Amino acid sequence: MEYAIHTLLSRTAHVMHNYLRPHLRKLGLSPGQPKVLRCLAGRGPCSQRALADYCEVDPAAICRMVDNLERDGFLVRRLSPTDRRSGTVELTGRGRAAFSAWEEQCVQIEDRMLQGFTPQERAQFADFLARAYRNVGGRLL
């Protein structure tokens, strides 16, 4: 049976999420939160607006995620002394450790998913996915 690309993408994402879900719970994270940690780990401290853009969510949603991540000790807010609405968000040691553990699990499922692919095929596959994502309006920040 031949599947459409959208079906294969959906099914692959579903299997990956099922594999990763228990690891989220062990780390004390909720869906969506690893993306916030990834942004901060890669870029360093940044504004909530930059986080919302990176995560492709509205500012209210990122505010709730940051509230929860701060409450649980994964990050801290550094408010501007002159404007309480602005400032930066940065990872704590706990946030860096959780992100590192999360990445280990992501690499494991990625290696399993791409078993038998050559390094060139992996790079080409990543390029194809990035191009498809941009074609539907996604922005790789």
Side-chain angles (χ1 to χ4, degrees):
M1 173 183 236
E2 192 171 317
Y3 290 99
I5 290 172
H6 69 274
T7 301
L8 292 169
L9 286 171
S10 177
R11 291 177 72 133
T12 302
H14 181 75
V15 168
M16 286 178 56
H17 289 149
N18 283 345
Y19 171 85
L20 292 168
R21 192 172 291 115
H23 301 289
L24 270 178
R25 279 188 234 114
K26 279 189 229 171
L27 295 170
L29 296 170
S30 299
Q33 291 179 337
K35 194 185 268 190
V36 173
L37 301 182
R38 175 173 280 112
C39 180
L40 294 170
R43 294 179 168 195
C46 62
S47 68
Q48 284 188 193
R49 167 45 72 192
L51 284 172
D53 289 345
Y54 180 87
C55 295
E56 299 175 299
V57 298
D58 63 67
I62 206 68
C63 186
R64 286 188 301 275
M65 274 198 257
V66 168
D67 285 345
N68 291 333
L69 286 164
E70 184 177 39
R71 179 198 67 218
D72 294 337
F74 294 106
L75 53 80
V76 294
R77 284 183 174 106
R78 304 277 184 221
L79 297 175
S80 166
T82 58
D83 180 3
R84 291 196 36 86
R85 292 174 298 170
S86 65
T88 59
V89 178
E90 62 185 85
L91 288 177
T92 61
R94 181 173 187 208
R96 280 187 289 284
F99 177 70
S100 179
W102 175 254
E103 280 296 293
E104 284 180 33
Q105 294 305 314
C106 290
V107 167
Q108 283 183 19
I109 189 64
E110 188 176 297
D111 284 344
R112 184 172 167 193
M113 179 177 67
L114 299 176
Q115 191 173 355
F117 284 52
T118 66
Q120 181 184 6
E121 289 171 328
R122 285 176 178 236
Q124 190 174 33
F125 185 58
D127 180 59
F128 289 158
L129 288 173
R131 285 170 42 200
Y133 177 69
R134 285 190 303 270
N135 286 345
V136 294
R139 294 175 301 150
L140 293 172
L141 303 175

